Amino acid sequence: MSAIFGYINLDGQPADPAIARKMQDAMDHWAADDSGLVVMGGLALGHLMLWNTPGSKMDKQPYSDTGKDLCITADVRLDNRDELINQLGIGSRNIPDCRLILLAWQKWRTNCPKYLIGDFAFAIWDGREKQLFCAGDHLGVKPFYYYHRGNLFVFASEIKGLLAHPLVDASLNELWIADLLCRFTIDASSTLYRHIKRISPAQHLQFQAGKAPSIEQYWELSPDQELPPATDEAYISGFREKLTTAVECRLQTDYQVGAELSGGLDSTGVTAIAHRLLKEQQRSLQAYSLVLPVGADLYMPDEREAIEAFCRYAGIEAPCYITGEEGGLLQALEWNARIQDEPPREMNVAYRDLLFQQAQQADIRVLLSGFGGDDLVSSHAAGYQEDLMKQGRWLTCWREVRAQKKRRSTGYHPIVRMGSLITGRILGMLGIDYYELMDRRMSAKYPMGKLKLQQRPILPDWKQQFDMEQRQLLFKEVYSRLPELRASQVKRLMQPHSQLRMGYCDLATRSFRMEYRYPLLDIRLLEYYLALPTRMKAQNGYGRYIYRMSLEGLLPPSLQWREDKTGSAQPHVAQREEIDADQLFALLWSIPKDHKIYQYADLSRLKPKQDIQLKGMTKVWRQLDPAFQCLILDRKLNPS
C-alpha cells in the first residue's frame, strides 16, 4: 500500500521541489515507512510507502528508467505477477510491481491496464513523448484525484495532497454540497471541490501539452458473456477455485492478517477460506467483530450468536469484539475531520476507528473484507424469476416461486407472485416496464422519499436552485433495477456508492497503517460469476446459490443456508450514541452563525430522531449520519 502524488508543468516552468515536499508533508499523516521524490524539469513525482507485501521493502519509488526517459509512481498490488512476467519475457521473479507496470507500458502502451489484475493507481511520465499516463484499477479500489488547468496537471491519492499545491483552485462544488445535504450519491467522480476530480473505475488518463486530459474506459464487465454448458458440480468447482484464489492472492503480506467478521455470508466465507489457507502456512488470522455489549438492549441488534457459532465450527479463535464502549461518537468525529478530505457520503467506515485501533495494536496491515459480495458474486440475484420467465421456463419459475415462499415467512402468496411475473412479462413484450410502473405506484402511495427530502437540512433557495426534486429522480434511476438480470447485476456493482466507500476506506485504513482488501471484488471471480447460467445464481428458492454451495464444509449449515441477517452491520454505533450523541448534536447546534455552512443548511432541522407520519403509521427517523456529515462539512468550510 502506498500514497502517490505529483504534478507536471508543460509550459516550460520548472517544478518546484518545495511544492512537492509540501504535498508530501500534507499526505504523510500516517508516518510512511519510506518516501521518495523525483523532480526533473517541469515534473515532480512522489511516493509514500507502507511496507506490506513481501517485495515492498525493496520497492524504491518513484522509479526511473533513465535510458528510456520513463518514470513511475504507483500504489499497487498485482495479483497476476506470474502471468505478467511470462507475457513480458522477464527472467527475474523478484521484480517489483511498479517495474512490471512500466514494462507493461512499454509493451502495450495505453492498453497496459487491461493486462493488470489487482488494486492499483499509478502515473507514468514518458519523457520522449512528453506525456503523462495515469490509470486506476478496474473497480476504483485505489483512489486517484487530479486537477487540471492549462498546462498544469496535479494528482494525488488524497485530496489534501492537491490542496497543498498553491495553484490548485479550491473553489467549492455547491452541487456536491446540495447532494450531500439531501443524501444523494449520484456521481463518484466529483468532489467537494469544483475543479478536483476523481478517475472513475477502469479509466486511464493521458495529459500532453496544449491538450485537455483525455480519459478513456479500458475495461467493462460484460453482461453478454456466457460460460460453456456444464454440470452444476463443474460450475461450483470452478467458482470455488476462483474464490479461493481471490482470497489467497490478498494474503500477500509480511505482517499479520485481520478479517472483518459480521456473521453474514460474505464475511464468514472470506474469513473461513483465509483461516484455512493461513493455517496451511502456519500463520494465524485475527477476526474483528462489531457487536453490542453483552446484555445491552438497544435499537440495533447484533450478530454475536452467529459469529460465535461460526468460530466454533471453523475452529477460529474468538474474534476481537468492538462493542462501542471503547469510545463515543466525538472521537470518531475528530478522526474523520482530520483524515477525510470531504464529508464521507458513504458512512460505513466513519465509525470504524475503534476497530482499526485494535487491529493496529496487533500489527495488522491487511484487513480482509467481504464488501462487494452482495453486489454480485453472493447477491440474492433479484430478478432471477423474471429471467426465467424471459427464457420461457414458466414451470421452473413456478417451482422457484413456491420454493422461495416456503423458505420465507414474508412475501406474496405464490399465485399472486406468479401473476405479477406473468403481467410483467406480457407488458415487457409490449415495451412497457412493469416494475417502473409499480415503483411509481408505490412511491405515490408511500412517498417516504419525498417526505425525507422535505425534512433535509438544505435551505429552500438551494433546493430550488439545483432542482433537488429532479435530482432525487436521477438518484432513484442510478439505483434502480434493470429488466435483464445480468445487466442489472453489472449496474449494481458499478454504482457510485461502492467506489466512494472504497475510497474513504483506503484513506481511513492508511491512517492506521493498514489496507483493506476485497476478495469478493476480484475481477476474475466477477467475470466467472456473471457468465454463469441463471440456475447457479438462485436455485430451490435460495439466492446466493453458488456462493453457498462453494462454502460447503467451511460454514455450519445453519449459517450456510440462512435466509436472513437480523443484526446490524454496525451495532456498536448504538452504544457509542449512548455515550455522547447528545454532545454531538449540541456541538452541531452551537456552530457559530457566521460559519459558511449556514449559507447552505438549516442545522436546526437535524435532530437525534424524528417521527414521520406516513399513511397513519409512525416511522422513527434517526439523523445521526447527516448530523455527523454536517459537522465535518463545517470543518472543511471553516478550517481553523
Side-chain angles (χ1 to χ4, degrees), residues 26-31 158 160 330-344 353 357 360 507-508 510-512 628 631-632 635-636:
M27 294 175 60
D28 193 13
H29 51 84
W30 47 282
E158 302 178 16
K160 59 177 67 69
L330 292 178
Q331 176 180 326
L333 174 68
E334 293 305 319
W335 168 64
N336 278 274
R338 177 172 58 89
I339 296 301
Q340 299 292 351
D341 296 317
E342 57 189 17
D353 52 313
Q357 286 174 1
Q360 185 180 38
L507 186 47
R510 184 184 294 119
S511 73
F512 287 97
F628 200 96
L631 279 164
I632 298 175
R635 304 281 185 96
K636 301 306 175 185

Side-chain angles (χ1 to χ4, degrees), residues 255-258 274-275 278-279 281-286 317:
Y255 298 85
Q256 298 299 309
V257 178
H275 169 69
L278 289 169
K279 188 175 181 180
Q281 302 171 22
Q282 297 185 329
R283 299 165 64 194
S284 61
L285 176 73
Q286 177 61 60
E317 291 186 12

Side-chain angles (χ1 to χ4, degrees), residues 78-98:
L78 292 177
D79 296 332
N80 64 329
R81 284 178 51 85
D82 289 344
E83 179 184 350
L84 278 173
I85 286 170
N86 291 334
Q87 289 175 316
L88 295 168
I90 302 170
S92 172
R93 299 272 159 179
N94 297 322
I95 183 171
D97 286 351
C98 74

Side-chain angles (χ1 to χ4, degrees), residues 231-241 528 536 545-546 549-550:
T231 63
D232 288 9
E233 290 75 16
Y235 286 134
I236 293 166
S237 176
F239 183 88
R240 184 184 295 115
E241 179 182 347
Y528 184 88
M536 300 310 301
Y545 180 73
I546 195 167
M549 292 297 295
S550 70

Side-chain angles (χ1 to χ4, degrees), residues 63 146-147 161-162 170 282 383 387 453 501 507 519 535 547 565 634 636:
Y63 171 76
Y146 67 94
Y147 168 86
L162 282 85
Q282 297 185 329
D387 203 56
L453 182 58
R501 171 169 167 168
L507 186 47
R535 74 174 191 275
Y547 186 74
K565 181 183 175 184
D634 175 61
K636 301 306 175 185

Side-chain angles (χ1 to χ4, degrees), residues 2-3 12 40 133 157 232 267 283 470 507 537 599-600 606 613:
S2 312
M40 50 184 183
F133 179 80
S157 300
D232 288 9
S267 66
R283 299 165 64 194
Q470 188 63 37
L507 186 47
K537 300 174 182 179
Q599 296 179 20
Y600 308 103
L606 293 174
Q613 300 297 323

